[in-house]
Amino acid sequence: MTRECSLLLPRVCAALADPRQPGSDDTCLEKLLDWFRLLTKFDPGVELLQNNPCLTEFITSMLALPEPSPSILSFTLRLAGILAASENCFQHLQQEQLLVRLFGRDGPLNSALWKDASVRSGWVNGVHSMMRHQPALHLLCHGGGIDVIFTLQGDSSLFVSSAASQLLVDMLILSVETETTKPVSTKDCDWPACAQMIIKHIEDSLQSSSASHIEQSLKLLTNLFGSCRAPWTEVLWLNIAKQIESFLMEDTVQAQHMLADLLLRMAWSPVFCDSEGSFWTLVTSALERLTPVQAGPLAVGLLKLYKCPQDVRIQALTVLLQPMDCILRAASQPLEYTGLLDESVSDPITVEGLLSSKSSCASLLCQTLAQLEELLSTFREEKTFRDLPCASLLRSIMTILQLCNGFLSPASPLGSTLSRILINCFRVQRSALDVLAELSDLRGCDTLIGSLFDVLLAYLESPNTNPTVLKKAFQATCKWLVRLQELSYSNSQWQHTEKILKDVFLVLQKRLCSPCWEVRDSSLEFLTDMIKCLSDQDEFRQSLLSSEVPRLTENLLEDPESYVRASAVTAVGHLAFIAYFAPESPVTGNQYNKENTAAKLQEILSTDPEGFPRRAVISIFIEWLSQGCTGQLEDTGQFVSRVIQTVQHDLDWEVRLGGLELIQDFCHQTFCQLGLPQRPDDPVSSAVTSSIRESESLQIFCRAKLFSFLFRSLCDCDKTLGQRACRILLDLSNHFYPLGTPRDLDETVDLPVRHSIACLQRTLRQGSLAQNFPTDGVDFEDPESMMLALGTIDLIELYDELNKSSDHVEKSPQSLLQDILATVGTVEENEADCY
């Protein structure tokens, strides 16, 4: 603690203990507690209390008040807990009986203030903070505090009840790990006293008739097994396993929904996942007896577990696929298709009942589809799906999509019900399309690819397709087109691929003309995604460039909706890669003009009133430059210069930041083309050659007019730009002045130039507060001046300043204490005015 803070702290403590104060700002109190946590972390000794007796005096004063403020009392409880986290400080506070009076029976527990949730929360948090050593544990266990924690598990405040449950977990762990001299067994006498109290409470709650008590103990056990992986947790489990198992067998127990989470936490603990026998038997029993909604999350978690036994893994996958199996059987003609599963884990009637109900059908399907999509996207290369019936699963997804858009009307009773419930159910459609997209990465679905595209094209063509569903359909179509191209290479199905591409582009042409802007926007994003994934395929390029899509896309550069214009910019920019940046010649007769395209994008960057299209343009220009495409348009330096002259005056900070990224890429590219080292310590052919090329590169940068924008950005009100510009200038400085190179002022430099650079440095030190950036006197296009600037301006100091948070002064402890006192001063002045 600094001397200034130690002088301010007594006044702050006195102010907080003053009952006349209306109550301090909770944010200030939280920051004050954070400061004390930091102090005790780095100095856990008793010196903090000895050197600052005002802290114990403050606690004593608060205890003496008949009706303290609830917020200040809560603060006091939490502060005492933080201080008592150190065993030495704990003993110091105990000598004056402060902790007993705060956390014992005679403290706030028996006052009217206990009804305030903030006081109860402060009490729990204070206890939790000091629960780091045995003396604190004994204080709670022998002083009756543990019974209070048991009660707070059922507190009306969710924050208090959750904190109490976690506190009991940590107390149990602390008790066993610090008070046990030999490995515990199932006998009560082997547990330490405090641990015995908590375990008995758990067992009694599990055997009670109160659903809330059962749920509290299950929550406690879930937290325990999730956070503690010690061998003694298995001993605890053996004491309660029978009772947990009984909950699965009794349909009347309302806590079944919590069992899945409990068993999953245990399965991920090495104490249980490596065991054999009873635990995994209980898990399989849970998969059988829990409802599909309850068992689904458990099944997903087990499938993610690498060490899950194979028979349990298969059972979990079966649980997950059961609703899909039901759908497939209900929608199929007799004997047309077999289902997904040979046998069910749970009763199929239960699943059919849920699917037949309008209130539960969509929810069950969305949950199942989301879980399948999660597993497919995360574990597509793992053994989880090596036995997955891919074709049947794909068929079931296609069936769901056909039921949702009315293209399928099964004759079976369940199928007929499903077709009525699912028609135009957008959320099921979105979830099914997500899974469909992920299935493109699995082998085994290729035989259905023709039928699959029939379903996808039906969605893309239908005027009834919701815009959000259409976006998902576009995404799935793109992924399956990639798969189709792979199959075309291996099976020589060129004609089939060409027909599908033709159909896709016909649909896309219609969608680009949609009156709905969301549809036009999604269509452009779909086009961009296709180009990114398929631009190296000849048949794709030919189909695209021979269609009306490029012309329609270019027309959308003038769309009235800014989001659409931005997407059109991105699509046009990527079309350029195919039309004239690619080594292959464009299709004969294509009128896609590269100069006109660049000019149009430059015009959008200069004139579009909305930020999104301008951001899209600068992003495309960055991509063109990074791919080495701008040299085919014109001299890259001129191109960059023209873009920078436009960007530096843009009001959108993201556009200006894009300009800095363009400069960074341009510098990197220039050094590469001149054969200069990327780092100062990289080898170079010869000193003479290097010097000539260094001079040439600096001249290129000056002609491109980069330095004016870079130095001006150092004073930008958006610090992100200043930081990026300073980083670029530092890299340039290190490049032109390698480590060890003297940076003394060159005597040949004219005095006015030196004066202008010195003036520039003074302005840069003012940062965003600079009123007038010096444009007179500094020649940003003069290589000699810029070399001098890079060598003499302290860019490291500027970089450090720019990386300081804007409130680094206000965040200091001294400033915090002054803020609290300023609030008090306002009250005192108001009181003085009354007289």
Side-chain angles (χ1 to χ4, degrees):
M1 184 184 299
T2 64
R3 181 177 179 276
E4 291 79 6
C5 289
S6 64
L7 293 174
L8 289 169
L9 187 58
R11 294 171 58 197
V12 169
C13 289
L16 292 176
D18 188 346
R20 298 174 299 168
Q21 299 301 323
S24 298
D25 179 22
D26 288 342
T27 304
C28 287
L29 296 179
E30 285 294 333
K31 290 180 179 179
L32 197 54
L33 290 172
D34 289 339
W35 179 49
F36 280 113
R37 286 191 190 94
L38 201 60
L39 289 173
T40 55
K41 178 180 179 181
F42 290 105
D43 185 14
V46 76
E47 290 80 8
L48 177 64
L49 291 174
Q50 291 174 340
N51 296 335
N52 299 278
C54 59
L55 291 173
T56 52
E57 291 169 5
F58 165 71
I59 296 173
T60 304
S61 300
M62 288 301 302
L63 287 169
L65 292 176
E67 292 184 8
S69 161
S71 64
I72 300 297
L73 178 57
S74 177
F75 168 80
T76 307
L77 290 162
R78 296 170 68 186
L79 173 63
I82 292 169
L83 297 173
S86 160
E87 191 168 349
N88 290 333
C89 289
F90 179 93
Q91 301 295 354
H92 183 87
L93 293 171
Q94 270 295 77
Q95 288 175 4
E96 301 184 35
Q97 298 294 303
L98 294 180
L99 295 177
V100 173
R101 294 168 63 192
L102 279 172
F103 299 106
R105 293 188 181 92
D106 298 329
L109 291 171
N110 289 323
S111 71
L113 290 172
W114 190 250
K115 295 179 181 178
D116 194 298
S118 67
V119 174
R120 300 196 301 277
S121 177
W123 190 91
V124 173
N125 281 285
V127 171
H128 210 159
S129 295
M130 71 175 175
M131 202 53 58
R132 300 288 184 271
H133 41 76
Q134 286 191 34
L137 197 63
H138 295 158
L139 172 68
L140 264 291
C141 291
H142 302 315
I146 195 166
D147 294 322
V148 178
I149 304 172
F150 291 152
T151 304
L152 291 178
Q153 275 187 288
D155 196 90
S156 56
S157 167
L158 180 61
F159 294 105
V160 175
S161 61
S162 297
S165 180
Q166 188 59 51
L167 174 56
L168 285 172
V169 169
D170 292 342
M171 288 177 67
L172 177 56
I173 294 172
L174 180 65
S175 175
V176 175
E177 293 184 352
T178 62
E179 299 183 313
T180 304
T181 56
K182 61 180 181 178
V184 296
S185 70
T186 52
K187 298 179 180 179
D188 288 345
C189 59
D190 292 325
W191 295 101
C194 183
Q196 278 192 45
M197 296 170 69
I198 297 174
I199 292 170
K200 185 177 186 306
H201 169 72
I202 294 172
E203 293 173 344
D204 291 345
S205 298
L206 291 175
Q207 294 170 6
S208 74
S209 57
S210 169
S212 63
H213 288 173
I214 293 173
E215 290 187 3
Q216 289 165 20
S217 285
L218 289 175
K219 181 180 178 182
L220 192 156
L221 290 168
T222 301
N223 290 338
L224 173 66
F225 292 129
S227 59
C228 182
R229 309 295 172 85
W232 61 264
T233 54
E234 186 176 19
V235 179
L236 171 61
W237 168 250
L238 293 174
N239 289 338
I240 58 174
K242 291 294 183 184
Q243 187 62 42
I244 300 296
E245 186 177 359
S246 70
F247 294 151
L248 282 173
M249 306 304 167
E250 299 171 15
D251 295 333
T252 56
V253 176
Q254 298 178 357
Q256 282 189 336
H257 65 282
M258 302 184 70
L259 295 177
D261 196 18
L262 170 63
L263 294 174
L264 189 55
R265 295 286 185 94
M266 294 174 65
W268 278 83
S269 168
V271 175
F272 300 100
C273 74
D274 293 332
S275 65
E276 297 180 1
S278 60
F279 171 70
W280 289 112
T281 302
L282 185 60
V283 171
T284 56
S285 178
L287 290 170
E288 292 172 3
R289 300 193 62 86
L290 293 176
T291 68
V293 175
Q294 295 168 349
L298 175 60
V300 173
L302 292 171
L303 288 168
K304 290 180 179 179
L305 181 61
Y306 182 76
K307 290 187 176 182
C308 181
Q310 183 63 16
D311 57 333
V312 179
R313 182 183 298 277
I314 291 173
Q315 190 170 4
L317 189 58
T318 302
V319 166
L320 204 56
L321 295 177
Q322 200 158 333
M324 314 307 295
D325 178 70
C326 247
I327 292 280
L328 195 55
R329 292 181 187 274
S332 303
Q333 299 297 326
L335 303 179
E336 182 183 2
Y337 301 124
T338 58
L340 266 167
L341 309 172
D342 297 326
E343 59 182 24
S344 299
V345 174
S346 55
D347 186 0
I349 304 247
T350 304
V351 180
E352 290 178 12
L354 290 169
L355 292 175
S356 300
S357 169
K358 190 172 184 178
S359 61
S360 59
C361 177
S363 297
L364 175 60
L365 283 178
C366 285
Q367 174 182 297
T368 302
L369 291 166
Q371 290 163 346
L372 281 169
E373 193 250 340
E374 179 187 352
L375 286 171
L376 287 165
S377 62
T378 309
F379 296 94
R380 58 172 62 100
E381 302 299 333
E382 300 289 341
K383 64 179 182 179
T384 303
F385 297 104
R386 65 185 179 190
D387 298 320
L388 183 70
C390 299
S392 296
L393 178 58
L394 177 58
R395 189 176 286 115
S396 68
I397 300 296
M398 291 161 54
T399 300
I400 290 174
L401 290 169
Q402 289 174 307
L403 287 170
C404 288
N405 68 0
F407 279 36
L408 187 63
S409 300
S412 67
L414 178 58
S416 178
T417 302
L418 284 168
S419 63
R420 288 196 306 273
I421 293 174
L422 294 178
I423 189 72
N424 291 328
C425 185
F426 301 146
R427 61 194 186 110
V428 172
Q429 288 175 327
R430 290 195 297 266
S431 298
L433 287 165
D434 283 336
V435 178
L436 194 68
E438 293 299 333
L439 282 171
S440 65
D441 293 317
L442 293 184
R443 303 301 173 252
C445 302
D446 304 340
T447 56
L448 298 172
I449 201 162
S451 302
L452 167 70
F453 273 102
D454 289 340
V455 174
L456 286 172
L457 285 167
Y459 268 81
L460 298 182
E461 291 172 349
S462 174
N464 297 324
T465 302
N466 177 273
T468 58
V469 174
L470 180 67
K471 187 181 181 76
K472 295 285 188 182
F474 277 140
Q475 292 168 352
T477 302
C478 186
K479 293 199 72 171
W480 277 100
L481 282 172
V482 174
R483 179 62 185 146
L484 180 65
Q485 293 291 339
E486 295 171 358
L487 290 175
S488 297
Y489 274 120
S490 58
N491 300 334
S492 299
Q493 297 180 348
W494 305 111
Q495 293 181 342
H496 182 58
T497 301
E498 187 178 356
K499 180 183 182 306
I500 290 177
L501 284 171
K502 182 179 179 181
D503 291 341
V504 167
F505 285 123
L506 283 173
V507 172
L508 185 57
Q509 287 172 190
K510 295 177 183 177
R511 290 300 190 178
L512 287 171
C513 301
S514 171
C516 176
W517 76 264
E518 290 98 334
V519 172
R520 299 195 302 276
D521 192 54
S522 296
S523 302
L524 290 165
E525 290 177 353
F526 172 54
L527 173 60
T528 302
D529 289 340
M530 283 196 297
I531 294 172
K532 288 179 179 178
C533 297
L534 299 166
S535 59
D536 60 337
Q537 306 295 325
D538 290 337
E539 58 271 19
F540 171 77
R541 289 194 301 270
Q542 291 169 6
S543 297
L544 171 57
L545 294 176
S546 61
S547 71
E548 290 293 306
V549 169
R551 180 183 64 80
L552 295 171
T553 301
E554 193 167 328
N555 290 344
L556 290 176
L557 291 173
E558 301 176 3
D559 195 274
E561 176 56 53
S562 64
Y563 290 108
V564 178
R565 294 199 302 276
S567 296
V569 165
T570 305
V572 166
H574 283 84
L575 271 168
F577 287 113
I578 293 179
Y580 54 88
F581 288 153
E584 299 84 0
S585 300
V587 175
T588 304
N590 189 277
Q591 298 302 312
Y592 206 91
N593 187 289
K594 54 186 178 182
E595 287 81 10
N596 285 347
T597 299
K600 283 182 179 179
L601 296 187
Q602 180 75 44
E603 183 182 2
I604 291 171
L605 184 63
S606 305
T607 62
D608 198 293
E610 300 290 338
F612 295 113
R614 301 199 307 274
R615 293 176 196 171
V617 172
I618 194 64
S619 296
I620 283 297
F621 285 167
I622 292 169
E623 191 157 357
W624 282 5
L625 181 67
S626 65
Q627 297 294 327
C629 301
T630 52
Q632 298 181 37
L633 288 170
E634 56 190 327
D635 177 68
T636 302
Q638 293 179 15
F639 169 76
V640 171
S641 177
R642 190 162 58 251
V643 173
I644 293 306
Q645 299 317 301
T646 302
V647 163
Q648 66 180 347
H649 301 296
D650 201 292
L651 297 178
D652 190 317
W653 73 270
E654 290 192 43
V655 177
R656 299 198 301 277
L657 181 63
L660 292 173
E661 292 177 15
L662 187 74
I663 288 176
Q664 192 168 28
D665 287 350
F666 176 58
C667 294
H668 172 77
Q669 192 177 97
T670 300
F671 289 140
C672 286
Q673 289 177 351
L674 293 176
L676 291 168
Q678 294 306 298
R679 295 190 305 271
D681 55 345
D682 286 345
V684 70
S685 55
S686 72
V688 175
T689 303
S690 174
S691 176
I692 294 172
R693 290 176 179 173
E694 295 282 7
S695 176
E696 184 180 354
S697 65
L698 186 59
Q699 291 174 12
I700 291 172
F701 298 152
C702 287
R703 284 198 302 269
K705 303 177 181 179
L706 308 185
F707 287 106
S708 175
F709 181 39
L710 285 171
F711 281 111
R712 189 181 298 273
S713 295
L714 294 176
C715 298
D716 199 292
C717 56
D718 286 289
K719 289 185 62 176
T720 305
L721 275 80
Q723 291 165 347
R724 176 62 67 91
C726 199
R727 184 68 262 172
I728 296 170
L729 287 167
L730 269 171
D731 289 342
L732 290 174
S733 177
N734 292 332
H735 190 91
F736 291 116
Y737 291 95
L739 189 64
T741 303
R743 298 193 178 203
D744 298 333
L745 288 175
D746 191 340
E747 295 299 329
T748 63
V749 177
D750 294 338
L751 188 61
V753 174
R754 297 187 202 175
H755 177 74
S756 66
I757 298 302
C759 179
L760 173 62
Q761 178 155 5
R762 287 195 297 272
T763 303
L764 294 177
R765 282 174 177 161
Q766 297 176 39
S768 60
L769 299 177
Q771 296 295 318
N772 297 306
F773 188 82
T775 54
D776 297 331
V778 181
D779 188 352
F780 292 104
E781 297 176 37
D782 175 42
E784 189 178 38
S785 298
M786 292 302 98
M787 193 69 177
L788 180 62
L790 291 173
T792 58
I793 294 175
D794 193 342
L795 293 167
I796 295 177
E797 179 189 5
L798 287 172
Y799 191 69
D800 290 341
E801 284 297 318
L802 286 165
N803 278 283
K804 288 180 181 178
S805 62
S806 57
D807 59 348
H808 67 277
V809 175
E810 289 77 5
K811 275 188 173 180
S812 67
Q814 181 180 343
S815 176
L816 174 62
L817 297 174
Q818 289 170 341
D819 286 345
I820 296 173
L821 289 175
T823 305
V824 176
T826 303
V827 175
E828 291 173 351
E829 288 169 11
N830 290 340
E831 287 179 347
D833 291 341
C834 295
Y835 294 95

